[in-house]
Amino acid sequence: MQTELSQQLGIEHAVFGFTPFPAVAAAISRAGGLGVLGAVRYTAPDELARDLDWIEAHVDGRPYGLDVVMPARKVEGVTEADVEAMIPEAHRRFVRDTLAKHGVPELAEGEAAGWRITGWMEQVARGQLDVAFDYPIRLLANALGSPPADVIARAHARDVLVAALAGSARHAVKHREAGIDIVVAQGYEAGGHTGEIATMVLTPEVVDAVAPLPVLAAGGIGSGQQVAAALTLGAQGVWLGSIWLTTTEADLHSPALTRKLLAAGSGDTVRSRALTGKPARQLRTEWTDAWDDPAGPGPLPMPLQGLLVAEAVSRIQKYEVEPLLGTPVGQIVGRMTGERSVQQVVDDLTRGFERAVDRVNRIAGRRGQS
């Protein structure tokens, strides 16, 4: 699964794996792809540095990257406390009532509420980059469009390629104009934040719109046959996220959540604003149903919703309250039916890719003989 982009980066397979887990990122790189660590959960620079140290020690010299959530426009003088103050009391009450209905215990006194969506804030994202640029990362990806121009210039000065996610050809063109090196065309099927256009339609549209920039296809991809399809559509690689969630290296801290993922079908996800305030594909649960119910108050805009539900999500996960327990995941969850190592996933991808290419070659050969 070699392309010009994979050769440029020195990786064996044109497989780019996004993950919040350092062990998964390192394993993807060791398996011949490019592991990309999600940084949004890191609010303390020393925590990110610790995990990048670990990755550096476990990739066997292979390349890896970092994914940040950084707005293109800076909002001056806004603190997390300022944003918290914007959350209506009615929404706070709705969270309390929903948790009480399902008997979700409180956190212990003094226990931290867990991850809060603060990576969108300018100072947090820049702090992550200050750490990351001390490491030999080869790729910097941004999930909120093109990063600011000075960040792109800073990356290029360190020979770091910059990628940005796009849900439409129009967004992709803006990325090209901003100086992005790689566009990730993320379709409707993907886990997390998505647009309205399916991967099969989106990928060739983006390829044509930004040529000759390389494009990675993302969304609903979890087999070698789908990798072959993406390359046939003009992509120079695939961007995979959900498929790694049930690998043996993933650390979900929740056997119940792993069971739910393995049991889910491709129709058991929903695009909901319940988690962050923007439409994000995730497992459908009674939590997402409550927020999508017209009788409720409805989700708040980003970042208010993420701050509002941070403690609730921590409690649901800690106590494994199964009716409410979910995670961002794409429609490919229907193929995630058993735990495998990262190496086994990559091996399955390469074997499936070879079978698909052989099939196309046989079809082409028959046509050539007619």
Side-chain angles (χ1 to χ4, degrees), residues 13 27 30-32 244 249 340-348:
H13 308 301
R30 290 197 307 272
W244 315 111
E249 293 89 347
R340 297 174 289 170
S341 69
V342 167
Q343 183 65 64
Q344 287 173 319
V345 171
V346 174
D347 288 345
D348 288 344

Side-chain angles (χ1 to χ4, degrees), residues 225 348 350-360 362:
Q225 293 90 330
D348 288 344
T350 57
R351 284 192 292 266
F353 177 83
E354 290 170 356
R355 289 194 298 269
V357 171
D358 287 345
R359 186 181 305 119
V360 172
R362 288 196 301 272

Side-chain angles (χ1 to χ4, degrees), residues 275-298:
L275 185 62
T276 69
K278 286 183 176 290
R281 186 170 298 284
Q282 54 203 284
L283 280 181
R284 182 177 180 178
T285 65
E286 293 188 28
W287 178 255
T288 61
D289 287 348
W291 283 104
D292 294 339
D293 187 342

Side-chain angles (χ1 to χ4, degrees), residues 191-279:
H193 297 123
T194 76
E196 301 283 350
I197 306 172
T199 305
M200 180 66 74
V201 175
L202 178 66
T203 301
E205 286 187 354
V206 171
V207 167
D208 290 345
V210 301
L213 278 188
V215 172
L216 302 178
I221 300 172
S223 72
Q225 293 90 330
Q226 290 169 310
V227 175
L231 300 191
T232 301
L233 293 173
Q236 287 208 29
V238 292
W239 177 272
L240 309 182
S242 298
I243 197 71
W244 315 111
L245 289 173
T246 52
T247 56
T248 53
E249 293 89 347
D251 192 8
L252 287 176
H253 297 294
S254 174
L257 180 54
T258 298
R259 288 195 302 271
K260 290 188 75 170
L261 287 168
L262 294 175
S266 56
D268 292 328
T269 67
V270 63
R271 283 174 79 248
S272 171
R273 294 169 53 214
L275 185 62
T276 69
K278 286 183 176 290

Side-chain angles (χ1 to χ4, degrees), residues 60-83:
D60 297 341
R62 306 290 183 89
Y64 59 94
L66 192 75
D67 179 278
V68 297
V69 179
M70 191 174 195
R73 296 184 180 87
K74 183 174 180 178
V75 180
E76 298 282 359
V78 177
T79 67
E80 185 177 337
D82 295 331
V83 178

Side-chain angles (χ1 to χ4, degrees), residues 21-41:
F21 306 118
V24 176
I28 293 167
S29 290
R30 290 197 307 272
L34 190 126
V36 182
L37 179 67
V40 71
R41 295 177 182 271

